[in-house]
Amino acid sequence: MDAMTHKATMSAADPVTFYGTEVASRLLLGTAQYPSPAILAEAIRASGTEIVTVSLRRESGAAKAGQSFWQLIRDLGVKVLPNTAGCRTVKEAVTTAEMARELFGTPWVKLEVIGEDDTLQPDVFGLVEAARILSRDGFQVFPYTTEDLVVAEKLVSAGCEVLMPWGAPIGSGRGLNNPYGLRSMRAHFPGIPLVVDAGVGLPSHAAAAMELGYDAVLLNTAVAKAGDPVRMARAFAAAIAAGREAVIADPMEVRDMAAPSTPVMGRALLGS
């Protein structure tokens, strides 16, 4: 399927499918840094999301810590995407994923292997290795990666059926730093679900990602740290829906020169 066929088969009402699981909402939401559990719950409801990311560090089997948080997530009826946030080695990421599968009862894992402190850029070498190990062990891996096409090819070869390139460094709110690279990834992988993950700060950033033909957007800080997280969650949901509608509507081509929107044929001419 080429990029044009991909666009032609899209429908605003179509669900997005991750590893055989269909979800109607194209907004994935993180659960960290909210002012309170009550605001988190209200924001999740307002967003309409069906998938939330959860860090294993929120749970502690020995001390029963985090049980109230886990119960809140259960009560909301959303799907859980455990993540390996903060992991910096293959061994740490794999071990965390294994613990998360046991705790949360899902083969899904958002795989993060961080390689650089200032930007929190993925260690793509460790990411590919960890993805291969986890896929072989039955995990369904959602890799947090860059927009590098070579790395993406290796992740697909390692067993990943979803790719999650960053928009910008985690928590930066900068939006889409490399639209060209993201557009190239969409064209190169027309049949694979693509999710922009990290760096999204405004609803307009999310709409732009959807207008590139992406299947979903994952964000956390932009909602959690907003002055009104619930209102911001609604704004992101609306922006993602608008961006999806726009790309299906087949936007006009960008031009270098002006083109009159009013016909000039039949215009009255005044003689001298």
Side-chain angles (χ1 to χ4, degrees):
M1 184 192 305
D2 60 20
M4 187 62 68
T5 303
H6 174 81
K7 180 181 287 189
T9 58
M10 291 192 300
S11 163
D14 287 347
V16 60
T17 302
F18 299 125
Y19 290 101
T21 298
E22 292 186 348
V23 292
S25 173
R26 293 172 181 271
L27 171 59
L28 286 65
L29 204 59
T31 56
Q33 305 182 70
Y34 284 83
S36 71
I39 292 176
L40 166 61
E42 193 174 350
I44 289 174
R45 293 189 188 98
S47 74
T49 186
E50 297 172 53
I51 300 174
V52 299
T53 61
V54 177
S55 171
L56 182 66
R57 288 168 173 78
R58 289 185 174 277
E59 298 288 338
S60 172
K64 300 292 184 181
Q67 293 302 313
S68 59
F69 170 83
W70 181 220
Q71 188 59 50
L72 180 151
I73 298 299
R74 286 178 185 270
D75 291 345
L76 287 167
V78 291
K79 296 176 178 63
V80 173
L81 176 60
N83 66 40
T84 62
C87 293
R88 296 178 180 274
T89 67
V90 172
K91 182 177 180 180
E92 184 182 11
V94 169
T95 300
T96 301
E98 290 170 343
M99 295 170 64
R101 179 167 62 177
E102 181 176 348
L103 181 61
F104 296 111
T106 176
W108 283 11
V109 61
K110 179 190 170 186
L111 180 61
E112 296 183 27
V113 183
I114 301 301
E116 205 277 326
D117 289 336
D118 291 333
T119 63
L120 299 179
Q121 180 171 328
D123 171 0
V124 295
F125 305 101
L127 181 68
V128 171
E129 182 181 350
R132 183 173 292 111
I133 292 169
L134 292 171
S135 295
R136 192 169 55 230
D137 194 29
F139 282 88
Q140 296 173 343
V141 180
F142 294 65
Y144 165 60
T145 184
T146 66
E147 67 277 21
D148 188 290
L149 296 181
V150 177
V151 174
E153 287 279 15
K154 292 184 181 299
L155 287 168
V156 172
S157 296
C160 297
E161 297 180 15
V162 178
L163 296 171
M164 301 178 70
W166 64 348
I170 294 171
S172 67
R174 296 181 59 86
L176 308 184
N177 274 355
N178 185 6
Y180 170 80
L182 293 171
R183 186 180 296 111
S184 297
M185 181 174 278
R186 176 72 284 173
H188 197 72
F189 298 99
I192 292 180
L194 299 182
V195 182
V196 167
D197 175 19
V200 172
L202 293 170
S204 57
H205 299 157
M210 299 303 293
E211 289 168 3
L212 291 176
Y214 274 66
D215 296 283
V217 175
L218 193 161
L219 57 96
N220 186 164
T221 310
V223 170
K225 289 297 188 179
D228 186 338
V230 177
R231 185 180 293 271
M232 188 62 79
R234 281 197 294 268
F236 269 104
I240 287 172
R244 177 72 175 171
E245 288 283 358
V247 75
I248 294 169
D250 195 13
M252 64 175 285
E253 296 292 332
V254 175
R255 297 171 55 96
D256 292 327
M257 302 293 290
S261 57
T262 301
V264 296
M265 293 295 292
R267 184 181 59 182
L269 298 177
L270 299 178
S272 57

